[in-house]
Amino acid sequence: MLYKRRDFIKISGITAAGSLVVPSLLQSCNGSSLSGSFSNYLDHFEVTPELLRKVIKTAMSKGGDYADLYFEHTISNYSNLEDGKVNQASSNIAYGVGIRVLKGDQTGYAFTEVITPEAMLKAANTAASIANDATAKKITENITEYSSPNLYPVAVSWEDTSIKQKIPYLERVNEKIFALDSKVNKVNASVGDTTSYIMFYNSEGLLACDYRPLVYLSVSCVMEKDGRIENSYVSRSSRKGSEFLTNEMVDNLAKEAVDKANLQFLAGKPRAGEMEVVMSPGESGILLHEAIGHAFEADFNRKKTSIFSDKLNKKVAEDFITIVDDGTLPGDRGSLNFDDEGNPTENTVIVNNGILTNYLHDRISAAFYKVKPTGNGRRQSFRFIPVPRMRCTRMENGPHKPEEIIASVKNGIYVDNFSNGQVNIGAGDFTFFVKAGYIIENGKLTMPIKDINIIGNGPQALADIVMAGDDAKLADGTWTCGKDGQSVPVTMGLPTVKIRKLVVGGINA
Amino acid sequence: MNTQEKYNLAELVIAHALKNGAQQVSVSIDESRNNNIEIRDQQIDNLTESNRNSMTINLYVDKKFSSNSTNRMKKDELLKFVEEGIAATRFLAEDEFRMLPDPALFYKGGGADLIVVDPSIGSIEPKTRIDLAKAVMDEAFNKDERIISVSSNYSDGMSNRVYVTSNGFKGDSARSSVTLSASVSVKTDQGRPQDYWYETSLFFDKLKKTDIGKKALERTISKIGPKKISSGKYPMVLENRVAGNLLSPLYNALSGYALYQKQSFLAGKKDQQVASKVLTVWDDPSIPSGPGSRHFDGEGLALAKRAIFEDGVLRGFYIDTYYGKKLGMDPSSGSSTNVVFRLGDRDANAMVKSLKKGILITGFNGGNCNGSTGDFSYGIEGFLIENGSVIHPVNEMNISGNMTQIWNNLVEAGNDIVEGSSFMVPSLLLDMIDFSGI
């Protein structure tokens, strides 16, 4: 399931200047031979290498095969403009450690929001109870520091950015939108930033630390004309610091919001039924996310409940189709330096020239399939178990020209703006909701359309991609993926593609 | 922390905020505990235990407002958190509409016990939980050769909240819940259909603990061999378990936020006929052991039973203090309690039997509704009905239309609400719905 941020605002934030309450640092360093940034993280969470080992030992004490600790400190800020003024703000601090124990593919999990030795050992004991062997495995005393290139370097951190510095951008987008069109009636604009300190330690002695920034700016615009009301919603998101906020980005968003709302006044509904569907480059990657991405997540396949469970190494699409799930795009909302179980992220090829080559793995499924983890083990926070999740799911360029693709359609639709999608993993039926598009008649875009749901079947739709353009593009909107009650940031990308047929919601004459 | 300690902490934080420049403050302390067990194919898949605590501090400083929450509950940190929150709030623009509710509207105590807490839930043995989940799974496991996976889930939890405002409100509330569910997947030559069943209750003893795996299996088997059918206008029977999906967009349009943001197709329609005469819905906060029962809302406003729709006429909205002031409307409550339908006299099966041709909807798959216009389009799962019988499952179908039009096409409300949900919605019969298929 996928939705834009607007449909899923749970918590929010505000910063005066500098950081909010950061846990006090220990007086002395932990005295270990850890390198600087690692020992800073240990200090940040007020733990020592000895304590980490003790908690892991307790977690493994009932015969678990593996255990890990996921420390998190997340500071979120949110400010909103309504009626021309930035007069609403909120902040949230989440702090804690999740303790996981694996026994085969069984999981025991507990977390504590108070990081003291007593609370951690209690949680470790709870998680340990998934196993009940008499003998505990020996664990390593050595600590291996994980290092990787930083995919999201920050010029100015959100902790060093006052709300005062965010306000002008929200005011600017509001002014620009009102200046662009006299039909504009309401503008709401918000900026939400999140900074997470993550420290991961496991029973193999791996210690990994990450500083994860994430920000979005979103705008909704309502227009009114002759009693008719139409709206639009646009946003941008990235793993960046406050250098993310620029006048140029804000001006582009303003124009996009106005153009989208204006188009709605001209839009109608298509006829109901099956037809050819052309998907625009970029955000249409929602097709990959829903039609196949979830069904490729290896937990569903390990449990045999995915419609793609027996399709590995089989032909699933035309030869010119290559699809990847990429966790390594610099600054991308879906990227991670390492996943939430300490595995390196990578650019995983899931369909290579039409052949299904890889599922998306977490630690459990990788062990089950005896493959290397793909770095897809993700979680919403320390309160959740990691499960296989997508990052940036995108299709590489195909051999066709976008104009040629549109020209090939006699009766169909062109879709280019979406709000949400969903999939039923076993049956394979997936949907996405189209906010805007066009009817295609005799190879030309004609009447705009809006607010229709499209439904198809995953394996069939993948096989039915009969043309793919050479104009692959990434979406930079605020996409959030929901699964098992957990939300994680993702992105997607697609070139222009044509699907032979999908069922389009509409009207019956 | 016990309840009294939470009150003490809340009052300490309020006093500190007032001393440091806030004119009004509200503090809530939310705590929840949850245990979850998932069993898959006769083996425990995961055991999780969750304990959460957080404080939310709403600050009203010189007509400026911010909301700040944290799960770091140490006293000295909270006081610093308040000071920084006040400093940050001063950067915002003034907002004349931000203030705590009028104390005259607060719940003053003295209400009857709503009986929404089962104290035994905190002391259920781990083995009992596992045995219950296993028993549910055993109802389906190996019961059909097409089965590829059965999973079952037991969860129980308790949540409580202490809420204090600087202008005189003090109140606490708590709620328990327990749920058993099962999910079954089968392998066919046309995909791997999956379906589920669940039972939920506020009370361990009242939870229905059998026929969950069995029903999940029956529902999954019934979905084997779906066919696409032609687009057209058909009547539809909407099963009670999913009827809330159609009610949600109607309910979203009733909020003060939606009205003010021009994202409500029901704006300005008070006391007008907006739906079929069949639609009568009350918001009733005081049903004993009702899943949505409460004496006061999130702001402390006292609640009372009121009509939302009466014979299809719109009577009530959900207005909180802030948007009430912006809209010039009296605040009622920002959120629903128990949503109670006026019931008819037969269930979904009887409705199906009465149809010559139609669709029985048992699930939704994506879709959305444009709040400003009420235009919607949803993917559905269900069955073709002909001459009063369920003929076969249908797949890849959407329903589309406008919320006002579809609720005007409501022909009948059933008598079969689902236990355990605050949306007490029965199965519904609606006519002339636009289905898109082949």
CSV table of all heavy atoms in Angstrom, one decimal, chain A residues 14 82-83 86 89-93 95 106-107 109 113 186 188 231 274 302 304 420 424 426 431 451 453 508, chain B residues 43-45 47 53 67-69 71-72 93 148 192 228 260 323 326 367-368 370 372 377 379 381 398 434:
chain,number,residue,atom,x,y,z
A,14,ILE,N,8.8,21.2,15.5
A,14,ILE,CA,9.2,22.6,15.7
A,14,ILE,C,10.6,22.8,16.3
A,14,ILE,O,10.9,22.1,17.3
A,14,ILE,CB,8.1,23.4,16.5
A,14,ILE,CG1,8.4,24.8,16.7
A,14,ILE,CG2,8.0,22.7,17.9
A,14,ILE,CD1,7.3,25.6,17.4
A,82,GLU,N,-1.3,28.2,7.0
A,82,GLU,CA,-2.7,28.2,6.7
A,82,GLU,C,-3.2,29.6,6.7
A,82,GLU,O,-2.8,30.4,7.6
A,82,GLU,CB,-3.5,27.3,7.8
A,82,GLU,CG,-5.0,27.2,7.6
A,82,GLU,CD,-5.6,26.2,8.5
A,82,GLU,OE1,-5.1,25.1,8.7
A,82,GLU,OE2,-6.7,26.5,9.0
A,83,ASP,N,-4.1,30.0,5.8
A,83,ASP,CA,-4.6,31.3,5.7
A,83,ASP,C,-3.4,32.4,5.7
A,83,ASP,O,-3.5,33.4,6.3
A,83,ASP,CB,-5.5,31.7,6.9
A,83,ASP,CG,-6.8,30.8,6.8
A,83,ASP,OD1,-7.2,30.4,5.7
A,83,ASP,OD2,-7.3,30.5,7.9
A,86,VAL,N,2.2,31.2,8.9
A,86,VAL,CA,2.7,30.0,9.6
A,86,VAL,C,2.4,30.1,11.0
A,86,VAL,O,3.2,30.7,11.8
A,86,VAL,CB,4.3,29.9,9.3
A,86,VAL,CG1,4.8,28.6,9.9
A,86,VAL,CG2,4.6,29.9,7.8
A,89,ALA,N,2.8,24.6,14.5
A,89,ALA,CA,4.0,23.9,14.4
A,89,ALA,C,4.0,22.8,15.5
A,89,ALA,O,3.2,22.9,16.5
A,89,ALA,CB,5.2,24.8,14.7
A,90,SER,N,4.7,21.7,15.2
A,90,SER,CA,4.8,20.7,16.3
A,90,SER,C,6.2,20.0,16.2
A,90,SER,O,6.9,20.1,15.2
A,90,SER,CB,3.7,19.7,16.2
A,90,SER,OG,3.6,19.2,14.9
A,91,SER,N,6.5,19.3,17.2
A,91,SER,CA,7.7,18.6,17.3
A,91,SER,C,7.5,17.2,18.0
A,91,SER,O,6.5,17.1,18.7
A,91,SER,CB,8.8,19.4,18.1
A,91,SER,OG,8.4,19.4,19.4
A,92,ASN,N,8.4,16.3,17.7
A,92,ASN,CA,8.3,15.0,18.3
A,92,ASN,C,9.7,14.4,18.6
A,92,ASN,O,10.5,14.6,17.7
A,92,ASN,CB,7.4,14.0,17.5
A,92,ASN,CG,7.3,12.7,18.2
A,92,ASN,OD1,8.0,11.7,17.8
A,92,ASN,ND2,6.4,12.6,19.1
A,93,ILE,N,9.8,13.8,19.7
A,93,ILE,CA,11.1,13.1,20.0
A,93,ILE,C,10.8,11.7,20.3
A,93,ILE,O,9.9,11.4,21.1
A,93,ILE,CB,11.8,13.8,21.2
A,93,ILE,CG1,12.3,15.2,20.8
A,93,ILE,CG2,13.0,12.9,21.6
A,93,ILE,CD1,13.0,15.9,21.8
A,95,TYR,N,12.7,8.0,21.1
A,95,TYR,CA,14.0,7.5,21.6
A,95,TYR,C,13.8,6.1,22.2
A,95,TYR,O,12.9,5.9,22.9
A,95,TYR,CB,14.5,8.5,22.7
A,95,TYR,CG,15.8,8.2,23.3
A,95,TYR,CD1,17.0,8.7,22.7
A,95,TYR,CD2,15.9,7.5,24.5
A,95,TYR,CE1,18.2,8.5,23.3
A,95,TYR,CE2,17.2,7.2,25.0
A,95,TYR,CZ,18.3,7.7,24.4
A,95,TYR,OH,19.6,7.5,25.0
A,106,GLN,N,12.1,-17.8,13.2
A,106,GLN,CA,11.2,-17.3,14.2
A,106,GLN,C,11.8,-16.0,14.8
A,106,GLN,O,13.0,-16.0,15.0
A,106,GLN,CB,11.0,-18.3,15.3
A,106,GLN,CG,10.3,-19.6,14.8
A,106,GLN,CD,10.2,-20.6,15.9
A,106,GLN,OE1,11.1,-21.4,16.1
A,106,GLN,NE2,9.1,-20.7,16.6
A,107,THR,N,10.9,-15.1,15.2
A,107,THR,CA,11.4,-13.8,15.8
A,107,THR,C,10.8,-13.6,17.2
A,107,THR,O,9.6,-13.7,17.4
A,107,THR,CB,11.0,-12.7,14.9
A,107,THR,OG1,11.4,-12.9,13.5
A,107,THR,CG2,11.5,-11.3,15.4
A,109,TYR,N,10.7,-10.3,19.8
A,109,TYR,CA,11.0,-8.8,19.8
A,109,TYR,C,10.4,-8.1,20.9
A,109,TYR,O,9.3,-8.3,21.4
A,109,TYR,CB,10.4,-8.2,18.5
A,109,TYR,CG,11.0,-6.9,18.1
A,109,TYR,CD1,12.3,-6.9,17.5
A,109,TYR,CD2,10.4,-5.7,18.4
A,109,TYR,CE1,12.9,-5.7,17.2
A,109,TYR,CE2,11.0,-4.5,18.1
A,109,TYR,CZ,12.2,-4.5,17.5
A,109,TYR,OH,12.8,-3.3,17.2
A,113,GLU,N,11.8,2.2,25.8
A,113,GLU,CA,12.0,3.6,25.5
A,113,GLU,C,12.9,4.3,26.5
A,113,GLU,O,13.2,5.5,26.5
A,113,GLU,CB,10.6,4.3,25.5
A,113,GLU,CG,9.7,3.8,24.4
A,113,GLU,CD,8.3,4.5,24.4
A,113,GLU,OE1,7.7,4.5,25.4
A,113,GLU,OE2,7.9,4.9,23.3
A,186,LYS,N,-7.6,28.7,-1.3
A,186,LYS,CA,-6.9,28.3,-0.1
A,186,LYS,C,-5.6,27.7,-0.5
A,186,LYS,O,-5.5,26.9,-1.5
A,186,LYS,CB,-7.7,27.2,0.6
A,186,LYS,CG,-9.0,27.7,1.2
A,186,LYS,CD,-9.1,27.3,2.7
A,186,LYS,CE,-10.3,27.9,3.3
A,186,LYS,NZ,-10.0,29.0,4.2
A,188,ASN,N,-2.5,25.6,1.7
A,188,ASN,CA,-1.9,25.1,2.9
A,188,ASN,C,-0.5,24.6,2.5
A,188,ASN,O,-0.4,23.9,1.4
A,188,ASN,CB,-2.7,23.9,3.5
A,188,ASN,CG,-3.8,24.4,4.4
A,188,ASN,OD1,-4.6,25.2,3.9
A,188,ASN,ND2,-3.9,23.9,5.6
A,231,ASN,N,-9.1,20.9,-6.4
A,231,ASN,CA,-7.9,21.0,-5.6
A,231,ASN,C,-6.7,20.3,-6.2
A,231,ASN,O,-6.8,19.6,-7.2
A,231,ASN,CB,-8.1,20.5,-4.2
A,231,ASN,CG,-8.6,19.1,-4.2
A,231,ASN,OD1,-8.0,18.2,-4.9
A,231,ASN,ND2,-9.6,18.7,-3.4
A,274,GLU,N,-12.1,-2.1,-19.8
A,274,GLU,CA,-10.7,-2.4,-20.1
A,274,GLU,C,-10.2,-1.6,-21.3
A,274,GLU,O,-10.9,-1.4,-22.3
A,274,GLU,CB,-10.6,-3.9,-20.5
A,274,GLU,CG,-10.5,-4.8,-19.4
A,274,GLU,CD,-10.2,-6.3,-19.8
A,274,GLU,OE1,-10.3,-6.6,-21.0
A,274,GLU,OE2,-9.8,-7.0,-18.9
A,302,ARG,N,8.7,-16.5,0.7
A,302,ARG,CA,9.2,-17.5,1.7
A,302,ARG,C,7.9,-18.2,2.2
A,302,ARG,O,7.9,-19.4,2.4
A,302,ARG,CB,10.0,-16.9,2.8
A,302,ARG,CG,10.3,-17.7,4.0
A,302,ARG,CD,11.3,-16.9,4.9
A,302,ARG,NE,10.8,-15.8,5.5
A,302,ARG,CZ,10.1,-15.8,6.7
A,302,ARG,NH1,9.8,-17.0,7.2
A,302,ARG,NH2,9.6,-14.7,7.2
A,304,LYS,N,5.2,-18.5,0.7
A,304,LYS,CA,4.5,-19.0,-0.5
A,304,LYS,C,3.2,-18.3,-0.8
A,304,LYS,O,2.3,-18.8,-1.5
A,304,LYS,CB,4.3,-20.5,-0.4
A,304,LYS,CG,5.6,-21.3,-0.2
A,304,LYS,CD,5.4,-22.8,-0.3
A,304,LYS,CE,4.7,-23.5,0.8
A,304,LYS,NZ,5.5,-23.7,2.0
A,420,ASN,N,-2.5,7.3,-4.5
A,420,ASN,CA,-2.3,6.1,-3.7
A,420,ASN,C,-2.5,4.8,-4.5
A,420,ASN,O,-3.1,4.9,-5.6
A,420,ASN,CB,-3.3,6.1,-2.5
A,420,ASN,CG,-4.7,6.2,-2.9
A,420,ASN,OD1,-5.1,7.3,-3.5
A,420,ASN,ND2,-5.5,5.2,-2.7
A,424,ASN,N,-3.2,-6.8,-3.6
A,424,ASN,CA,-3.5,-8.0,-2.9
A,424,ASN,C,-2.5,-9.0,-3.4
A,424,ASN,O,-2.5,-9.5,-4.5
A,424,ASN,CB,-4.9,-8.4,-3.4
A,424,ASN,CG,-5.5,-9.6,-2.7
A,424,ASN,OD1,-4.7,-10.4,-2.2
A,424,ASN,ND2,-6.8,-9.6,-2.6
A,426,GLY,N,-1.6,-12.2,-2.9
A,426,GLY,CA,-1.8,-13.6,-3.4
A,426,GLY,C,-2.5,-13.6,-4.7
A,426,GLY,O,-2.1,-14.3,-5.7
A,431,THR,N,-4.1,-2.0,-7.6
A,431,THR,CA,-4.8,-0.8,-8.0
A,431,THR,C,-3.9,0.5,-7.8
A,431,THR,O,-3.0,0.5,-7.0
A,431,THR,CB,-6.0,-0.5,-7.2
A,431,THR,OG1,-5.7,-0.2,-5.8
A,431,THR,CG2,-6.9,-1.7,-7.2
A,451,ASP,N,-9.5,11.5,-10.9
A,451,ASP,CA,-10.2,10.8,-9.8
A,451,ASP,C,-10.8,9.4,-10.3
A,451,ASP,O,-11.9,9.1,-10.1
A,451,ASP,CB,-11.3,11.6,-9.2
A,451,ASP,CG,-10.7,12.8,-8.5
A,451,ASP,OD1,-9.6,12.7,-8.0
A,451,ASP,OD2,-11.4,13.9,-8.4
A,453,ASN,N,-9.9,5.1,-10.4
A,453,ASN,CA,-9.1,4.0,-9.9
A,453,ASN,C,-8.8,3.1,-11.1
A,453,ASN,O,-9.7,2.8,-11.9
A,453,ASN,CB,-9.8,3.2,-8.8
A,453,ASN,CG,-8.9,2.5,-7.9
A,453,ASN,OD1,-7.8,3.0,-7.5
A,453,ASN,ND2,-9.2,1.2,-7.6
A,508,ASN,N,-20.6,4.3,-17.0
A,508,ASN,CA,-21.3,3.5,-18.0
A,508,ASN,C,-22.4,4.3,-18.7
A,508,ASN,O,-23.2,4.9,-18.0
A,508,ASN,CB,-21.9,2.2,-17.4
A,508,ASN,CG,-20.8,1.3,-16.8
A,508,ASN,OD1,-20.1,0.7,-17.5
A,508,ASN,ND2,-20.7,1.3,-15.5
B,43,GLN,N,4.0,-23.1,13.7
B,43,GLN,CA,5.2,-22.7,14.4
B,43,GLN,C,5.0,-21.2,14.7
B,43,GLN,O,4.4,-20.5,13.9
B,43,GLN,CB,6.4,-22.9,13.4
B,43,GLN,CG,7.7,-22.5,14.1
B,43,GLN,CD,8.8,-22.5,13.0
B,43,GLN,OE1,9.2,-23.5,12.5
B,43,GLN,NE2,9.4,-21.3,12.8
B,44,ILE,N,5.5,-20.8,15.9
B,44,ILE,CA,5.5,-19.4,16.2
B,44,ILE,C,6.3,-18.6,15.3
B,44,ILE,O,7.5,-18.9,15.1
B,44,ILE,CB,6.0,-19.2,17.7
B,44,ILE,CG1,5.0,-19.9,18.7
B,44,ILE,CG2,6.0,-17.7,18.0
B,44,ILE,CD1,5.5,-19.8,20.1
B,45,ASP,N,5.8,-17.7,14.6
B,45,ASP,CA,6.5,-16.8,13.6
B,45,ASP,C,7.1,-15.7,14.4
B,45,ASP,O,8.3,-15.4,14.2
B,45,ASP,CB,5.6,-16.3,12.5
B,45,ASP,CG,6.4,-15.7,11.4
B,45,ASP,OD1,7.0,-16.5,10.6
B,45,ASP,OD2,6.5,-14.5,11.3
B,47,LEU,N,6.9,-13.3,18.3
B,47,LEU,CA,6.3,-12.8,19.5
B,47,LEU,C,6.8,-11.4,19.7
B,47,LEU,O,8.0,-11.1,19.7
B,47,LEU,CB,6.9,-13.6,20.7
B,47,LEU,CG,6.6,-15.1,20.9
B,47,LEU,CD1,7.5,-15.7,22.0
B,47,LEU,CD2,5.2,-15.3,21.3
B,53,ASN,N,5.1,5.0,26.0
B,53,ASN,CA,4.8,6.1,26.9
B,53,ASN,C,5.1,7.4,26.1
B,53,ASN,O,6.1,7.5,25.5
B,53,ASN,CB,5.7,6.1,28.1
B,53,ASN,CG,5.0,5.5,29.3
B,53,ASN,OD1,4.0,6.0,29.8
B,53,ASN,ND2,5.6,4.4,29.7
B,67,SER,N,2.5,22.3,19.3
B,67,SER,CA,2.2,21.0,19.9
B,67,SER,C,3.6,20.2,20.0
B,67,SER,O,4.2,20.1,18.9
B,67,SER,CB,1.2,20.2,19.1
B,67,SER,OG,1.0,19.0,19.7
B,68,ASN,N,3.9,19.7,21.1
B,68,ASN,CA,5.2,19.1,21.3
B,68,ASN,C,5.1,17.8,22.0
B,68,ASN,O,4.5,17.7,23.1
B,68,ASN,CB,6.2,20.0,22.1
B,68,ASN,CG,6.2,21.4,21.5
B,68,ASN,OD1,7.0,21.7,20.6
B,68,ASN,ND2,5.3,22.3,21.9
B,69,SER,N,5.7,16.7,21.4
B,69,SER,CA,5.6,15.5,22.1
B,69,SER,C,6.9,14.8,22.2
B,69,SER,O,7.8,15.0,21.4
B,69,SER,CB,4.5,14.6,21.4
B,69,SER,OG,4.9,14.4,20.1
B,71,ASN,N,8.9,11.0,24.1
B,71,ASN,CA,8.8,9.8,24.9
B,71,ASN,C,9.9,9.7,25.9
B,71,ASN,O,10.1,8.7,26.6
B,71,ASN,CB,8.7,8.5,24.0
B,71,ASN,CG,10.1,8.2,23.4
B,71,ASN,OD1,11.0,9.0,23.3
B,71,ASN,ND2,10.2,7.0,22.9
B,72,ARG,N,10.6,10.8,26.1
B,72,ARG,CA,11.6,10.9,27.1
B,72,ARG,C,11.0,11.6,28.3
B,72,ARG,O,10.7,12.8,28.3
B,72,ARG,CB,12.8,11.7,26.7
B,72,ARG,CG,13.5,10.8,25.6
B,72,ARG,CD,14.8,11.5,25.1
B,72,ARG,NE,15.8,11.7,26.2
B,72,ARG,CZ,16.7,10.8,26.6
B,72,ARG,NH1,16.7,9.6,26.0
B,72,ARG,NH2,17.5,11.0,27.5
B,93,ALA,N,3.5,32.9,13.7
B,93,ALA,CA,2.6,34.0,13.5
B,93,ALA,C,1.4,33.8,14.6
B,93,ALA,O,1.1,32.7,15.0
B,93,ALA,CB,2.0,34.0,12.1
B,148,ILE,N,-1.7,-23.5,1.1
B,148,ILE,CA,-0.3,-23.3,1.1
B,148,ILE,C,0.2,-22.7,2.3
B,148,ILE,O,1.4,-22.8,2.7
B,148,ILE,CB,0.3,-22.6,-0.2
B,148,ILE,CG1,-0.6,-21.3,-0.4
B,148,ILE,CG2,0.3,-23.5,-1.4
B,148,ILE,CD1,0.0,-20.4,-1.5
B,192,ARG,N,-3.0,-17.1,-6.0
B,192,ARG,CA,-3.0,-17.6,-4.7
B,192,ARG,C,-4.0,-16.9,-3.8
B,192,ARG,O,-3.5,-16.0,-3.0
B,192,ARG,CB,-1.6,-17.6,-4.1
B,192,ARG,CG,-0.6,-18.4,-5.0
B,192,ARG,CD,0.8,-18.5,-4.5
B,192,ARG,NE,1.5,-19.3,-5.4
B,192,ARG,CZ,2.5,-20.2,-5.1
B,192,ARG,NH1,2.8,-20.3,-3.8
B,192,ARG,NH2,3.1,-20.9,-6.0
B,228,LYS,N,-13.8,-12.1,-14.6
B,228,LYS,CA,-14.2,-10.7,-14.9
B,228,LYS,C,-15.6,-10.7,-15.5
B,228,LYS,O,-16.0,-11.6,-16.2
B,228,LYS,CB,-13.2,-10.2,-15.9
B,228,LYS,CG,-11.7,-10.1,-15.4
B,228,LYS,CD,-11.0,-9.2,-16.4
B,228,LYS,CE,-9.5,-9.4,-16.3
B,228,LYS,NZ,-8.7,-8.5,-17.1
B,260,TYR,N,-13.6,23.7,6.6
B,260,TYR,CA,-12.9,24.9,6.5
B,260,TYR,C,-11.9,24.9,5.3
B,260,TYR,O,-11.7,25.9,4.6
B,260,TYR,CB,-12.1,25.2,7.8
B,260,TYR,CG,-11.4,26.5,7.8
B,260,TYR,CD1,-12.2,27.7,8.0
B,260,TYR,CD2,-10.1,26.7,7.5
B,260,TYR,CE1,-11.6,28.9,7.9
B,260,TYR,CE2,-9.5,27.9,7.4
B,260,TYR,CZ,-10.3,29.1,7.6
B,260,TYR,OH,-9.7,30.3,7.5
B,323,TYR,N,-11.4,24.8,14.7
B,323,TYR,CA,-12.1,25.0,13.4
B,323,TYR,C,-13.5,25.5,13.7
B,323,TYR,O,-14.1,26.2,12.9
B,323,TYR,CB,-12.0,23.8,12.5
B,323,TYR,CG,-10.7,23.7,11.9
B,323,TYR,CD1,-9.7,22.8,12.3
B,323,TYR,CD2,-10.3,24.6,10.9
B,323,TYR,CE1,-8.5,22.7,11.8
B,323,TYR,CE2,-9.1,24.5,10.3
B,323,TYR,CZ,-8.1,23.6,10.7
B,323,TYR,OH,-6.9,23.6,10.2
B,326,LYS,N,-13.0,29.1,13.7
B,326,LYS,CA,-12.7,29.6,12.4
B,326,LYS,C,-14.0,29.6,11.5
B,326,LYS,O,-14.1,30.5,10.7
B,326,LYS,CB,-11.6,28.8,11.7
B,326,LYS,CG,-10.2,29.1,12.2
B,326,LYS,CD,-9.2,28.5,11.3
B,326,LYS,CE,-8.0,29.5,11.1
B,326,LYS,NZ,-7.0,29.0,10.2
B,367,GLY,N,-8.1,2.7,-4.3
B,367,GLY,CA,-9.1,3.7,-4.7
B,367,GLY,C,-9.1,4.9,-3.7
B,367,GLY,O,-8.3,4.9,-2.7
B,368,ASN,N,-9.9,5.9,-4.0
B,368,ASN,CA,-9.9,7.1,-3.2
B,368,ASN,C,-11.1,7.9,-3.5
B,368,ASN,O,-11.9,7.6,-4.4
B,368,ASN,CB,-8.6,7.9,-3.5
B,368,ASN,CG,-8.1,8.7,-2.3
B,368,ASN,OD1,-9.0,9.1,-1.4
B,368,ASN,ND2,-6.8,8.9,-2.1
B,370,ASN,N,-12.3,12.1,-3.8
B,370,ASN,CA,-11.9,13.5,-3.8
B,370,ASN,C,-12.9,14.3,-2.8
B,370,ASN,O,-14.1,14.4,-3.1
B,370,ASN,CB,-12.1,14.1,-5.3
B,370,ASN,CG,-11.8,15.6,-5.4
B,370,ASN,OD1,-11.9,16.3,-4.4
B,370,ASN,ND2,-11.3,15.9,-6.5
B,372,SER,N,-13.3,17.3,-2.0
B,372,SER,CA,-14.0,18.6,-2.4
B,372,SER,C,-15.2,18.3,-3.2
B,372,SER,O,-16.2,19.0,-3.1
B,372,SER,CB,-13.0,19.4,-3.3
B,372,SER,OG,-11.9,19.8,-2.5
B,377,SER,N,-13.6,6.5,-6.7
B,377,SER,CA,-13.4,5.3,-7.5
B,377,SER,C,-12.6,4.3,-6.7
B,377,SER,O,-11.6,4.7,-6.1
B,377,SER,CB,-12.7,5.7,-8.8
B,377,SER,OG,-12.6,4.6,-9.7
B,379,GLY,N,-11.3,0.1,-6.1
B,379,GLY,CA,-11.3,-1.3,-6.5
B,379,GLY,C,-12.0,-2.2,-5.5
B,379,GLY,O,-12.0,-1.9,-4.3
B,381,GLU,N,-13.5,-6.3,-4.3
B,381,GLU,CA,-13.5,-7.8,-4.3
B,381,GLU,C,-14.9,-8.2,-4.0
B,381,GLU,O,-15.6,-7.7,-3.1
B,381,GLU,CB,-12.6,-8.4,-3.3
B,381,GLU,CG,-11.1,-8.0,-3.6
B,381,GLU,CD,-10.2,-8.5,-2.5
B,381,GLU,OE1,-10.7,-8.9,-1.4
B,381,GLU,OE2,-9.0,-8.3,-2.6
B,398,ASN,N,-13.8,-2.1,-10.5
B,398,ASN,CA,-13.9,-0.8,-9.8
B,398,ASN,C,-15.3,-0.4,-9.7
B,398,ASN,O,-16.2,-0.8,-10.5
B,398,ASN,CB,-13.2,0.3,-10.6
B,398,ASN,CG,-11.7,0.1,-10.6
B,398,ASN,OD1,-11.1,0.0,-9.5
B,398,ASN,ND2,-11.1,0.1,-11.8
B,434,ASP,N,-22.1,2.2,-10.6
B,434,ASP,CA,-21.3,2.1,-11.8
B,434,ASP,C,-20.1,1.1,-11.6
B,434,ASP,O,-19.2,1.5,-10.8
B,434,ASP,CB,-20.7,3.4,-12.3
B,434,ASP,CG,-21.6,4.1,-13.3
B,434,ASP,OD1,-22.0,3.4,-14.3
B,434,ASP,OD2,-22.0,5.3,-13.1
